[in-house]
Amino acid sequence: MNSLLLVAHGSRRQQSNDEVIYLAEKLRQSCRDRYSIVHTGFLELASPSIPEGIDNCIKEGATRITVLPYFLNSGRH
């Protein structure tokens, strides 16, 4: 089963994290023919973390995980 993990930096601003979660929901709706499972994972400052996002995909039955980086600004990592 194919899954998509949308990975973002994470923010102290919940509104920013909610925007990523909203985008994941839109992807879940628009890409359902390609990805049965869509989750998010954050590098820091928000949850779920990237490893937790991977675990969430696996728990739902993912056999393949495509990671989509969603980093909109330059960072120091």
Side-chain angles (χ1 to χ4, degrees), residues 1-4 30-37 66:
M1 191 175 319
N2 289 331
S3 66
L4 180 68
S30 64
C31 298
R32 68 177 57 156
D33 58 326
R34 186 163 179 186
Y35 300 104
S36 308
I37 302 163
T66 300

Side-chain angles (χ1 to χ4, degrees), residues 4 6 10-11 16-17 28-29 40-41 44 51-53 66-67 77:
L4 180 68
L6 181 64
S11 175
S16 296
N17 300 326
R28 187 176 293 114
Q29 294 170 13
T40 57
E44 63 180 12
E52 290 169 336
T66 300
V67 176
H77 294 283

Side-chain angles (χ1 to χ4, degrees), residues 6-70:
L6 181 64
V7 173
H9 186 276
S11 175
R12 289 182 183 89
R13 276 184 67 227
Q14 186 58 45
Q15 182 180 1
S16 296
N17 300 326
D18 290 343
E19 289 173 7
V20 175
I21 294 166
Y22 177 76
L23 176 59
E25 179 57 37
K26 290 303 222 178
L27 288 168
R28 187 176 293 114
Q29 294 170 13
S30 64
C31 298
R32 68 177 57 156
D33 58 326
R34 186 163 179 186
Y35 300 104
S36 308
I37 302 163
V38 177
H39 281 290
T40 57
F42 294 97
L43 181 63
E44 63 180 12
L45 303 173
S47 62
S49 66
I50 295 169
E52 290 169 336
I54 292 168
D55 287 344
N56 289 337
C57 291
I58 293 169
K59 286 176 186 173
E60 286 194 36
T63 55
R64 177 176 289 168
I65 301 172
T66 300
V67 176
L68 176 60
Y70 190 67

